[in-house]
Amino acid sequence: MEHSKALRILALFLCPATLLLGHILGLLYPVPSWIDKDDWINTFFVKKGWFWTSVVMWWCAFRYKGWNKHISLRYFVLSVWWFVFTQAAWFHTAPIMDLIFTATGGLCGFDVLDTNGNLNQKFHDSDVRRTKSLDKIHTLLKKFQLTTEDEFLSNLADHSLKSIRRLMGLNNGDGRDGEPPVSPSELNIFIHDTIHSLGGLGSSAACRAAGGQWTGGHDPSGHIFLNTLMIMLLLGECDFFENLAWPRIKRQGCKLSNYFTDLLDNSPLLNVLQRRPQTTYDVFWELFARPALKCLGDLVNFSLLSVRYVVWENPVFLLFAFVFLWWYSFLMTTLVFHTLSEQLSGLLCAYVVSGGLYLLTIKNSAKRRLV
Ligand SMILES: CCCCCCCCCCCCCCCC(=O)SCCNC(=O)CCNC(=O)[C@H](O)C(C)(C)COP(=O)(O)OP(=O)(O)OC[C@H]1O[C@@H](n2cnc3c(N)ncnc32)[C@H](O)[C@@H]1OP(=O)(O)O
């Protein structure tokens, strides 16, 4: 099968096939325990995914084809769709994914206390996140207390602040006894209503910033949406320069392997046999220092050449490394996060636009070739 056909099939079917694979794996194996919302892959790469994908895509375009108005148009369409779906549908409004969530009954919740007045373990999914949220809620309630003129509400705010400080392990001075005869659920309602009265909690980002928890409703998976869009953008664009990328790799051969074998070709015993050192110092030098220095030099050479080979000469490797990263994140999302229907809606929303765009482009370029 020719390269471009394989690439198109990969671009079109990789994401739906991975969704299926994830659910089959989910039936066969336990949920992976190493996945963490705050790990470096998620915070540094996936959550800034559009930035990384843009850099890699434009870099490849620049190194293989140069600027071209068709690429810019496709990038513009996908960027606008990414932006309105995940960032903001319009100026100062929530993005489409959050509008769907709130329209289906979802809200920003503040169920900080459980029925016994202790920290609700279902409020956020790790101690670090719970502590950060309590801190944010404390700041907002403090602000409210300083500005309200209603004595009753000010007292309630005071009681809530004391409870929150207790949950954070801070000393209130008067201990738990100083807290009022207000039930935990009433305090939760007060915290919820007060923070909502400050306004601007219509998006998941704003909810997070206020320390709340996005609960209920249908929450289309932002990760599935973004990963799909990024995979299709990278593989879709690769289709337009792969005829330049593969021959370049073939032409250059794998000269990196020579440098790699140099790294291994560094025997201390051979040094001793060939150079026949006379003094103890010379033996030490030939046995330990010379091989170590040579290895270091070769390693630096090898690293520099690898970077040059991958980033400058063949950035298509970089492109596939990122496709792999987005694919991995996609698979982990299918295993751990959201319901199947939320994953499907994330996939469909990305797929409809990016799939349509690339099918249309492929059709148009085939037509142009025929003419
Ligand atoms: C030498 C070189 C020269 C180069 C020369 C070329 C020049 C080339 C010029 C380029 C020019 C660039 C110009 C670009 C300019 C921009 O692009 S700048 C903009 C950069 N911004 C971005 O990239 C942002 C991308 N991120 C996003 O869109 C959103 O954060 C997301 C990922 C869609 C948000 O999703 P979300 O809110 O996390 O919601 P969702 O996915 O539903 O997840 C719900 C929860 O489950 C968690 N979750 C879900 N799945 C997972 C998972 N797989 N793992 C862990 N957690 C998960 C989430 O973390 C979330 O948890 P919370 O933290 O909210 O509690």
Side-chain angles (χ1 to χ4, degrees):
M1 188 168 17
E2 53 175 313
H3 283 138
S4 62
K5 206 165 175 192
L7 207 59
R8 282 172 199 172
I9 291 176
L10 193 66
L12 274 181
F13 295 107
L14 182 63
C15 295
T18 307
L19 187 71
L20 191 65
L21 174 72
H23 283 273
I24 294 172
L25 290 178
L27 292 176
L28 299 177
Y29 300 101
V31 172
S33 54
W34 65 87
I35 302 302
D36 177 7
K37 284 179 173 182
D38 298 314
D39 67 12
W40 63 274
I41 294 190
N42 195 40
T43 44
F44 189 64
F45 284 105
V46 186
K47 290 239 172 183
K48 311 265 180 294
W50 197 249
F51 169 76
W52 290 112
T53 303
S54 305
V55 171
V56 172
M57 192 282 273
W58 282 112
W59 182 241
C60 284
F62 169 67
R63 288 296 295 141
Y64 290 115
K65 284 206 124 167
W67 183 82
N68 152 339
K69 73 170 189 253
H70 298 292
I71 301 182
S72 308
L73 190 66
R74 286 192 294 272
Y75 176 73
F76 177 75
V77 170
L78 293 185
S79 294
V80 169
W81 183 226
W82 160 69
F83 194 85
V84 296
F85 194 82
T86 67
Q87 308 295 303
W90 193 245
F91 297 102
H92 307 297
T93 59
I96 292 176
M97 67 177 193
D98 292 347
L99 292 176
I100 295 174
F101 175 75
T102 43
T104 49
L107 52 82
C108 185
F110 290 90
D111 283 340
V112 177
L113 298 152
D114 65 12
T115 44
N116 299 320
N118 297 320
L119 181 56
N120 180 6
Q121 293 300 311
K122 289 189 185 137
F123 182 62
H124 292 293
D125 38 14
S126 69
D127 285 337
V128 177
R129 283 182 168 235
R130 279 188 277 274
T131 309
K132 275 189 191 161
S133 285
L134 289 178
D135 198 35
K136 290 172 186 169
I137 294 169
H138 189 275
T139 307
L140 289 172
L141 286 179
K142 191 94 200 146
K143 208 165 114 190
F144 171 80
Q145 193 191 27
L146 289 174
T147 49
T148 187
E149 284 168 6
D150 185 318
E151 197 180 333
F152 176 70
L153 292 181
S154 174
N155 273 339
L156 267 178
D158 193 46
H159 299 324
S160 310
L161 285 166
K162 278 186 178 153
S163 295
I164 289 174
R165 278 200 292 273
R166 175 175 56 78
L167 298 179
M168 290 164 84
L170 300 174
N171 192 359
N172 274 321
D174 48 3
R176 193 172 179 171
D177 298 340
E179 286 176 21
V182 182
S183 73
S185 66
E186 283 170 322
L187 275 188
N188 280 343
I189 293 172
F190 172 73
I191 295 171
H192 174 276
D193 291 350
T194 305
I195 297 185
H196 274 266
S197 74
L198 300 174
L201 290 188
S203 71
S204 55
C207 177
R208 242 191 327 262
Q213 187 180 23
W214 219 217
T215 49
H218 176 91
D219 182 19
S221 168
H223 274 62
I224 295 276
F225 173 87
L226 183 66
N227 287 322
T228 306
L229 212 63
M230 296 189 298
I231 287 174
M232 293 194 72
L233 170 69
L234 291 177
L235 291 179
E237 290 309 321
C238 190
D239 191 30
F240 298 101
F241 53 72
E242 56 96 20
N243 56 338
L244 300 169
W246 307 138
R248 195 186 284 182
I249 294 172
K250 262 192 202 156
R251 216 172 33 243
Q252 289 174 337
C254 210
K255 55 187 178 195
L256 280 181
S257 60
N258 300 339
Y259 284 93
F260 191 69
T261 43
D262 274 359
L263 266 178
L264 306 174
D265 184 16
N266 186 18
S267 154
L269 278 180
L270 207 65
N271 284 347
V272 174
L273 289 175
Q274 281 177 347
R275 294 171 202 267
R276 298 184 185 282
Q278 302 299 316
T279 63
T280 327
Y281 171 80
D282 287 345
V283 173
F284 172 81
W285 176 259
E286 296 301 341
L287 268 180
F288 301 105
R290 185 188 292 278
L293 283 177
K294 181 175 181 312
C295 185
L296 197 70
D298 287 343
L299 206 63
V300 170
N301 251 343
F302 178 70
S303 312
L304 290 176
L305 274 157
S306 305
V307 171
R308 186 189 152 94
Y309 184 76
V310 171
V311 178
W312 180 259
E313 290 168 358
N314 298 292
V316 70
F317 286 123
L318 214 56
L319 184 146
F320 275 98
F322 271 89
V323 167
F324 178 76
L325 189 61
W326 304 147
W327 173 82
Y328 171 79
S329 165
F330 188 111
L331 184 65
M332 291 306 126
T333 309
T334 64
L335 289 171
V336 183
F337 300 96
H338 293 279
T339 61
L340 175 61
S341 67
E342 291 172 342
Q343 293 167 2
L344 273 172
S345 57
L347 176 75
L348 268 179
C349 290
Y351 207 67
V352 165
V353 174
S354 52
L357 184 73
Y358 283 105
L359 281 178
L360 197 76
T361 315
I362 290 166
K363 242 183 177 172
N364 282 347
S365 58
K367 246 189 222 162
R368 270 200 302 275
R369 268 201 297 270
L370 276 179
V371 174

